[in-house]
């Protein structure tokens, strides 16, 4: 499954595990706050309002006492259980057993974050996901915080164990997320330790915690498999954001694979199992039919009466999709907008809220803000994001530093910074992933100095060591070289705590860099800034020459 409880980012000054917009004791991901807030304001709704009466006793959502779909307006013990589950994931609801507007908002936010149709209806898929991603277990606590013991062992229970179990599930282990460190969790820990060449003692200490949080630049799950950014057939051996999306969708369909962006044997097995269950040829190749099945009941409204989605670029959709229309093209449009962070009901009706979401999206991507989903908006929705305006001129490796330096001061999450992702096919806010290598890829693309693009630091080091793509390793750095950092040491660049930038000046063992995804020296938001580094400061450095 994807990273739900946390957002791990390997970046400046070691591995900083920054929460994804945490606002409560669990996790909470910002999903289309503007559009959702506008909807509620227009309806006269105030979040968090609710009676103070005692809630009815909770009833398990999957019991026969609860309806197949729990919807706004209902009340009772099933709603009490639902609110408790949502609060375990950071919703912060008043538990009153009444499915009102604030509960609806929390449901839709949860669905958007977990690849479920954003329809606000708590059906079988939403119920299953709520229990699979934490249930009513204690709220997760970061394993590396002072609130967790140095060694978490069998018999322990609480939020630290919840986090451990969720991390194990992320790595592909089918453990229950209940906050109790039992035999099943211990077995999964030992198996995980063996796979990482750690002492398989079942105790979760410093090294195991670090490995559990192991990540480089997290592959984006913001790519639509049906877009031109992804291959027509996604097959074993491929990697990147399209594979990460595939893995996320497979998990949304009941499979259990780690979302690591690498199409390996476990992903192949999951694809074949999904194909068999869907009545498709189980060949392990993710082509048009398999993609369509993966998106069914995710983009199509979850069975709530929305017209079946239609690819916006097909002949069945008008050149411009506008307010007032109702069709499968609008269903697809709403699904894609939600994929990019909106919070719409997927109903196939292009109303005022969809119009507002289209305009928000257009403004975010630097497009003409007219509310019409025309060719440029469609292309951006499918991941073909227009590069930032007025890019610096090219000129090969000699211009790498000039191009990078011109970006200094660009703030994370801005339209300019988000445009860097176009170099590697990402349509994602830089506030939501580690983008240092994406920035280097963008600079390389602007100058044409190298055809190599990768959002992983390890990829740049690997290709330089192999002498590919006009890249090589040098021990005599000069301005314009690329520099990779391994904060954990060992120079293997596989521990998840890596960073990368571009050399600006060199003076003996000291040097300065231009880096993306790094801290602002004067405080404030991360962005592109100049940093002072050294080759003798306790971390490993590899300099990469581009020629």
């Amino acid at each position: 499954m994807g990273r739900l409880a946390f957002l791990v980012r390997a970046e400046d000054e070691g591995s900083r595990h920054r929460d994804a917009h945490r606002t409560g004791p669990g996790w909470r991901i910002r999903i289309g706050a503007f559009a959702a807030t506008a909807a509620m304001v227009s309806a006269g709704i105030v979040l968090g309002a609710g009676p103070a009466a005692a809630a009815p006793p909770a009833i398990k959502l999957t019991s026969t006492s609860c309806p197949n779909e729990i919807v706004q307006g209902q009340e009772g013990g099933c709603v009490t259980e639902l609110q408790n589950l949502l609060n375990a994931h950071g919703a912060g609801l008043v538990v009153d057993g009444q499915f009102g507007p604030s509960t609806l908002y929390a449901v839709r936010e949860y669905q958007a974050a977990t690849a479920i149709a954003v329809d606000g209806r708590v059906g079988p898929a939403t119920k299953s996901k709520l229990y699979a991603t934490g249930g009513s277990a204690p709220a997760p606590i970061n394993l590396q915080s002072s609130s967790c013991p140095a060694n978490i062992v069998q018999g322990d229970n609480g939020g630290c164990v919840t986090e451990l179990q969720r991390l194990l599930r992320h790595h592909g282990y089918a453990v229950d997320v209940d906050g109790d460190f039992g035999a099943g969790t211990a077995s999964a820990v030992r198996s995980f330790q063996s796979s990482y060449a750690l002492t398989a003692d079942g105790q979760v200490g410093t090294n195991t915690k670090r490995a559990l949080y192991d990540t480089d630049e997290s592959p984006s799950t913001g790519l639509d498999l049906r877009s031109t950014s992804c291959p027509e057939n996604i097959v074993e051996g491929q990697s990147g954001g399209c594979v990460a999306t595939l893995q996320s969708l497979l998990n949304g369909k009941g499979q259990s694979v780690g979302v690591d962006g690498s199409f390996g044997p476990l992903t192949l097995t999951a694809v074949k199992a999904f194909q068999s269950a869907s009545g498709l040829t189980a060949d392990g190749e993710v082509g048009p039919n398999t993609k369509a099945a993966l998106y069914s009941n995710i983009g199509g409204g979850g069975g709530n009466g929305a017209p079946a989605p239609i690819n916006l670029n097909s002949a069945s959709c008008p050149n411009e999709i506008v307010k007032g229309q109702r069709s499968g093209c609008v269903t697809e449009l709403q699904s894609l907008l939600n994929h990019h962070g909106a919070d719409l009901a997927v109903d196939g009706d292009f109303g005022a809220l969809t119009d507002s979401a289209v305009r928000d999206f257009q403004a975010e991507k630097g497009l003409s803000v007219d509310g019409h989903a025309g060719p440029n908006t469609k292309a951006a929705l499918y991941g073909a994001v227009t590069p930032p305006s007025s890019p610096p001129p090219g000129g090969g490796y000699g211009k790498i530093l000039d191009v990078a330096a011109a970006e200094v001061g660009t703030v994370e999450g801005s339209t300019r910074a988000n445009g860097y992702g176009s170099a590697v096919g990402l349509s994602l806010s830089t506030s939501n992933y580690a983008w240092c290598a994406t920035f280097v890829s963008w600079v390389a693309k602007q100058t044409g100095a190298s055809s190599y693009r990768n959002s992983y630091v390890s990829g740049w080091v690997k290709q330089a060591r192999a002498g590919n793509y006009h890249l090589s390793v040098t021990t005599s750095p000069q301005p314009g070289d690329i520099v990779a950092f391994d904060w954990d040491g060992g120079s293997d660049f596989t521990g998840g705590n890596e960073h990368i930038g571009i050399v600006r000046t060199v003076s003996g063992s000291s040097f300065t860099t231009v880096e993306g995804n790094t801290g602002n020296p004067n405080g404030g938001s991360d962005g592109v800034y100049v940093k002072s580094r050294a080759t003798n400061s306790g971390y490993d450095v590899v300099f990469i020459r581009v020629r």
Side-chain angles (χ1 to χ4, degrees):
M1 32 189 294
R3 292 173 174 80
L4 301 180
F6 47 83
L7 178 60
V8 182
R9 297 164 47 115
E11 50 185 34
D12 180 37
E13 310 301 344
S15 180
R16 296 188 294 161
H17 306 290
R18 299 201 326 191
D19 293 340
H21 304 280
R22 282 195 194 218
T23 57
W27 61 268
R28 192 167 181 189
I29 302 177
R30 174 179 55 81
I31 301 292
F34 179 88
T37 302
M40 294 182 186
V41 170
S42 66
I45 294 166
V46 179
L47 295 183
I59 301 173
K60 192 173 178 66
L61 302 186
T62 53
S63 74
T64 55
S65 300
C66 292
N68 185 58
E69 280 195 337
I70 305 171
V71 299
Q72 186 176 15
Q74 294 177 356
E75 59 183 42
C78 302
V79 179
T80 300
E81 175 78 347
L82 169 63
Q83 292 170 328
N84 284 331
L85 289 168
L86 291 168
N87 283 346
H89 294 93
L93 295 169
V94 174
V95 180
D96 57 8
Q98 298 192 27
F99 196 136
S102 56
T103 300
L104 175 65
Y105 176 78
V107 168
R108 292 173 65 194
E109 185 178 47
Y110 177 78
Q111 290 173 324
T114 53
I116 301 173
V118 184
D119 56 13
R121 306 166 74 89
V122 184
T126 303
K127 293 176 184 179
S128 175
K129 185 71 76 171
L130 278 164
Y131 284 113
T133 57
S136 52
I141 301 172
N142 190 295
L143 302 185
Q144 296 171 326
S145 73
S146 59
S147 299
C148 292
N151 286 288
I152 306 171
V153 299
Q154 188 169 353
D156 288 349
N157 56 63
C160 301
V161 179
T162 300
E163 177 81 335
L164 166 63
Q165 291 167 329
R166 292 173 71 163
L167 287 167
L168 287 168
R169 286 183 66 90
H170 164 70
H171 284 279
Y173 297 91
V175 297
D176 291 331
V177 182
D178 56 11
D180 288 321
F181 195 139
T185 299
S187 176
V189 168
R190 286 191 291 270
S191 177
F192 173 80
Q193 290 170 325
S194 295
S195 70
Y196 272 73
L198 300 170
T199 301
D201 57 7
Q203 298 187 26
V204 183
T206 302
N207 292 334
T208 302
K209 292 176 184 178
R210 181 183 298 117
L212 283 163
Y213 282 113
D214 176 17
T215 183
D216 194 350
E217 310 253 345
S218 302
S220 167
T221 56
L223 290 173
D224 192 298
L225 301 187
R226 301 161 295 184
S227 73
T228 56
S229 298
C230 293
E232 182 176 1
N233 287 288
I234 304 172
V235 299
E236 185 177 15
Q238 294 177 353
S239 62
C242 299
V243 177
T245 298
L246 166 64
Q247 292 166 327
S248 179
L249 289 169
L250 285 168
N251 288 338
K253 293 293 186 178
Q255 302 299 315
S256 179
V257 294
V259 182
D260 59 6
S262 296
F263 196 136
L266 294 178
T267 301
L268 178 64
T269 299
V271 168
K272 289 182 176 180
F274 171 74
Q275 290 172 323
S276 294
S278 302
L280 302 170
T281 302
D283 57 7
E285 295 189 6
V286 183
N289 292 336
T290 302
K291 292 176 184 178
L294 283 164
Y295 280 100
S296 68
N297 290 326
I298 290 179
N304 63 338
I310 301 173
N311 189 294
L312 303 186
N313 294 317
S314 74
S316 299
C317 291
N319 185 58
E320 286 196 336
I321 305 169
V322 298
K323 185 176 178 180
Q325 295 177 358
R326 172 180 167 80
S327 67
C329 303
V330 179
T331 301
E332 176 82 344
L333 171 63
Q334 291 169 327
S335 175
L336 289 169
L337 287 166
N338 284 344
H339 205 55
H340 285 278
D343 192 8
L344 298 168
V346 181
D347 57 9
D349 280 320
F350 196 135
L353 295 180
T354 301
D355 179 75
S356 177
V358 169
R359 292 173 186 272
D360 288 347
F361 176 79
Q362 291 171 326
E364 170 82 12
K365 301 303 177 186
L367 303 171
S368 176
V369 181
D370 57 9
H372 296 185
N376 290 336
T377 300
K378 293 176 184 177
L381 283 164
Y382 281 117
V385 181
T386 303
S389 60
S390 303
Y397 68 85
K399 288 291 185 181
I400 286 180
L401 179 57
D402 292 344
V403 171
E407 300 301 305
V408 171
T410 301
V411 177
E412 177 177 283
S414 65
T415 300
R416 181 75 173 183
N418 295 343
Y420 298 148
S422 63
V424 291
L426 295 183
S427 177
L428 191 68
S429 171
T430 44
S431 297
N432 292 336
Y433 76 108
W435 50 279
C436 56
T438 296
F439 174 66
V440 171
S441 297
W442 182 84
V443 172
K445 181 177 181 179
Q446 303 308 305
T447 61
S450 171
S451 61
Y452 188 62
R453 314 278 186 266
N454 202 315
S455 62
Y456 289 83
V457 177
S458 57
W460 284 92
V461 174
K462 179 180 179 180
Q463 297 303 334
R465 286 174 170 169
N468 298 328
Y469 299 98
H470 301 290
L471 305 174
S472 62
V473 174
T474 180
T475 56
S476 301
Q478 64 184 32
D481 284 341
I482 296 169
V483 57
F485 304 92
D486 189 337
W487 304 124
D488 288 339
S491 290
D492 57 1
F493 292 87
T494 59
N497 297 321
E498 289 82 46
H499 190 53
I500 196 167
I502 294 166
V503 176
R504 178 174 172 267
T505 62
V506 180
S507 178
S509 62
S510 300
F511 58 98
T512 63
T513 56
V514 176
E515 302 171 6
N517 192 46
T518 196
N520 185 337
N522 301 315
S525 300
D526 290 357
V528 181
Y529 297 106
V530 174
K531 286 299 181 75
S532 296
R533 304 294 188 189
T535 57
N536 57 359
S537 293
Y539 45 79
D540 290 328
V541 174
V542 169
F543 293 102
I544 300 172
R545 180 66 46 81
V546 186
R547 289 289 187 274

